[in-house]
Amino acid sequence: MSDRDLSVVVFGATGVTGRHVAAYLSTRAEEVGARWAVAGRDAAKLERVLGEIGVTAPETIVADVGAPASLAAMASRTKVVLDLVGPYTLYGEPVIEACVAAGTHYVDLTAEMPFVRRMIDAHDERAAAAGVKVVEVSGFEAFPPDLAVALAAETARQRWDEDLSEVDLAVTTQQPTGRRLGLADIVSGGTMQSIAEALADEGAESFTDAAVLVPDPEAAGRVRERSPIALAPRFNARGDVIAPMVPAAFINPAVIQRTAALAAGERGATFQPFRYREGIAMPGSGATLPLRFVGAAFLAGTQAVFGALTRAQPSVRRRVADFLRRALPSSGFGPKGEKLEGWTWQVAVDARTAGGHYVRVDLDADGHPGYLSTARMLGEAGLLLAEDGATPGRGGCLTPAAALGTGSLDRFGRAGLRLSVSS
Ligand SMILES: NC(=O)c1ccc[n+]([C@@H]2O[C@H](COP(=O)([O-])OP(=O)(O)OC[C@H]3O[C@@H](n4cnc5c(N)ncnc54)[C@H](OP(=O)(O)O)[C@@H]3O)[C@@H](O)[C@H]2O)c1
């Protein structure tokens, strides 16, 4: 990649998330001596949107998913493409193809799991042979949980030469005080349209499978047996109600098990999945317990309905997806401006090894998790991937943790993420 004049390109920089990736790089790239550019299908819109948020990009590239030559030209100029053009089920593959062909690392934010599996089947071998990293699911789902669990696993191997046997992960979030939040403050139209597309996908049934990203059938069977995805609300050791992860409980488990499978493969070991449970912790007083439990049960119920829909007849799924495409907000809708500030969130990992050792990883962060933190993490990940020797030297369709490793995690402090380990 020594011939590349750019380190990172933000493709889809006019979107709700893309504009914040551009904002992050506009201050951060210079600090690390990286040259970056924004890309999108409409140069005038790029200029207008970035002007609105006060961002000046060193360069603008015009590229459209429907014009393969424009994607090839974009990919051949840079070391890393950060792809913010979703729904990925519709628009992701041409960008991945262009990046693999050009020998350029690719990172996206998809959580459309059937699509991710299809990309592994179609592009893993070629990407691995070319030393290209195709890194999907790199947003709030599943970047922070994946890195935190990988750090726990690595700690256990370094300290006791043991694998993890059980992992519990809890997320807590604190919203800005004194502000009423509506739907547009929480989730974007791009995300909602992506859920509709994943439902219409021919492989929708695999969405709820914890082993969807583990292609080896025997290893996948072990994941399903050891660690099926459970939606029912429960309590943790501190008595907090644990609700299923939102927007979907089906994303992180699949990514985390793939990371563990890839790590076992690297060591030449047989992959033995750990039991993984996750959720949103809802702490509170005894008086609010019934309310919290009902809230968690409601979240579990809506996800159970979604899970049932993924297993419905294709004609039913397509009709529901059609309805959702029209009924749900679309591109451009979502949290913006000051609504993204004032959020804080934490991830706590409690992990045990087969030998009874205990590892705790804490991650503490600020910024709206889905759109501001996500944008900053993605920007920093792009810069890291563009730096020689900053990440493990392997290619293929990787998870965030497998692609980035744990050696440079302190770099994410600049993106507002602080990690600590105890045992
Ligand atoms: N997992 C997570 O934590 C997480 C977090 C945030 C977002 N996401 C995912 O990221 C994706 C983007 O979300 P968002 O809310 O930022 O979406 P958005 O606001 O709808 O932005 C989509 C972007 O794609 C561009 N685009 C659409 N069609 C294109 C084409 N043919 N060629 C080139 N560019 C095209 C749009 O450009 P125009 O402005 O020209 O239309 C826009 O820049 C979604 O799939 C969402 O689910 C995931």
Side-chain angles (χ1 to χ4, degrees), residues 11-19 39-42 45 49 63-66 83-88 91 109-112 137-142 188-192 194-195 251 330-333 369-371 374:
F11 183 40
T14 51
V16 168
T17 324
R19 66 189 66 190
R41 57 181 164 177
D42 180 341
K45 186 172 181 185
V49 168
D64 192 308
V65 166
D83 183 12
L84 284 300
V85 179
Y88 296 93
Y91 304 132
L109 293 181
T110 188
E112 298 147 56
V137 210
S138 303
F140 178 64
E141 297 91 18
S188 75
T191 297
M192 287 188 264
S194 300
I195 293 169
I251 302 163
S330 57
S331 190
F333 176 96
Y371 300 93
T374 287

Side-chain angles (χ1 to χ4, degrees), residues 27-402:
T27 54
R28 180 65 176 141
E30 204 178 325
E31 288 172 12
V32 296
R35 196 171 145 71
W36 68 289
V38 289
R41 57 181 164 177
D42 180 341
K45 186 172 181 185
L46 274 166
E47 197 178 327
R48 178 172 58 74
V49 168
L50 296 182
E52 278 164 18
I53 59 168
V55 168
T56 314
E59 192 169 341
T60 298
I61 295 172
V62 176
D64 192 308
V65 166
S70 70
L71 299 178
M74 171 179 75
S76 65
R77 285 196 53 196
T78 181
K79 295 179 179 175
V80 180
V81 169
L82 301 177
D83 183 12
L84 284 300
V85 179
Y88 296 93
T89 302
L90 297 178
Y91 304 132
E93 187 162 14
V95 191
I96 292 177
E97 277 171 349
C99 285
V100 174
T104 301
H105 299 318
Y106 166 96
V107 194
D108 75 28
L109 293 181
T110 188
E112 298 147 56
M113 306 313 277
F115 163 77
V116 181
R117 171 56 187 266
R118 236 189 346 271
M119 294 305 99
I120 293 170
D121 292 342
H123 301 288
D124 184 45
E125 244 172 66
R126 237 180 109 212
V132 168
K133 292 178 179 172
V134 175
V135 194
E136 304 210 75
V137 210
S138 303
F140 178 64
E141 297 91 18
F143 188 108
D146 189 32
L147 284 172
V149 174
L151 186 56
E154 211 164 280
T155 304
R157 266 196 302 277
Q158 278 167 3
R159 293 194 185 166
W160 312 292
D161 197 19
E162 287 181 16
D163 284 332
L164 299 181
S165 149
E166 294 184 353
V167 178
D168 280 284
L169 181 144
V171 173
T172 40
T173 52
Q174 297 80 38
Q175 298 158 3
T177 46
R179 250 189 257 155
R180 277 177 73 92
L181 297 177
L183 186 63
D185 303 316
I186 296 169
V187 63
S188 75
T191 297
M192 287 188 264
Q193 291 297 325
S194 300
I195 293 169
E197 292 310 326
L199 198 57
D201 194 296
E202 61 191 28
E205 199 177 355
S206 65
F207 203 116
T208 59
D209 179 8
V212 60
L213 305 186
V214 178
D216 173 52
E218 278 181 29
R222 290 196 293 275
V223 171
R224 289 182 197 117
E225 194 179 320
R226 177 82 177 119
S227 195
I229 295 170
L231 295 176
R234 57 190 171 83
F235 295 94
N236 68 6
R238 282 180 293 279
D240 303 332
V241 174
I242 302 291
M245 198 66 82
V246 283
F250 312 112
I251 302 163
N252 299 328
V255 174
I256 282 164
Q257 295 292 0
R258 178 164 176 79
T259 298
L262 289 170
E266 282 269 287
R267 295 195 310 277
T270 304
F271 168 47
Q272 297 297 350
F274 43 74
R275 197 271 285 128
Y276 175 73
R277 289 192 306 190
E278 67 171 15
I280 308 263
M282 302 168 84
S285 66
T288 62
L289 181 70
L291 201 62
R292 285 182 284 132
F293 200 83
V294 168
F298 174 76
L299 289 176
T302 53
Q303 299 217 31
V305 169
F306 177 78
L309 271 175
T310 64
R311 291 185 289 278
Q313 294 288 330
S315 59
V316 174
R317 285 191 287 103
R318 278 197 296 271
R319 275 207 301 280
V320 176
D322 255 352
F323 168 75
L324 292 176
R325 281 183 198 115
R326 279 181 275 114
L328 293 174
S330 57
S331 190
F333 176 96
K336 295 199 180 95
E338 62 174 32
K339 300 274 180 74
L340 291 157
E341 304 289 348
W343 294 72
T344 50
W345 53 277
Q346 299 78 34
V347 174
V349 173
D350 292 294
R352 277 180 200 289
T353 67
H357 291 104
Y358 171 75
V359 189
R360 166 111 181 173
V361 175
D362 283 290
L363 187 159
D364 188 37
D366 42 50
H368 189 297
Y371 300 93
L372 189 56
S373 283
T374 287
R376 292 171 177 162
M377 290 184 273
L378 191 72
E380 194 63 36
L383 293 171
L384 266 177
L385 288 171
E387 283 173 30
D388 287 342
T391 58
R394 66 181 301 183
C397 291
L398 305 174
T399 57

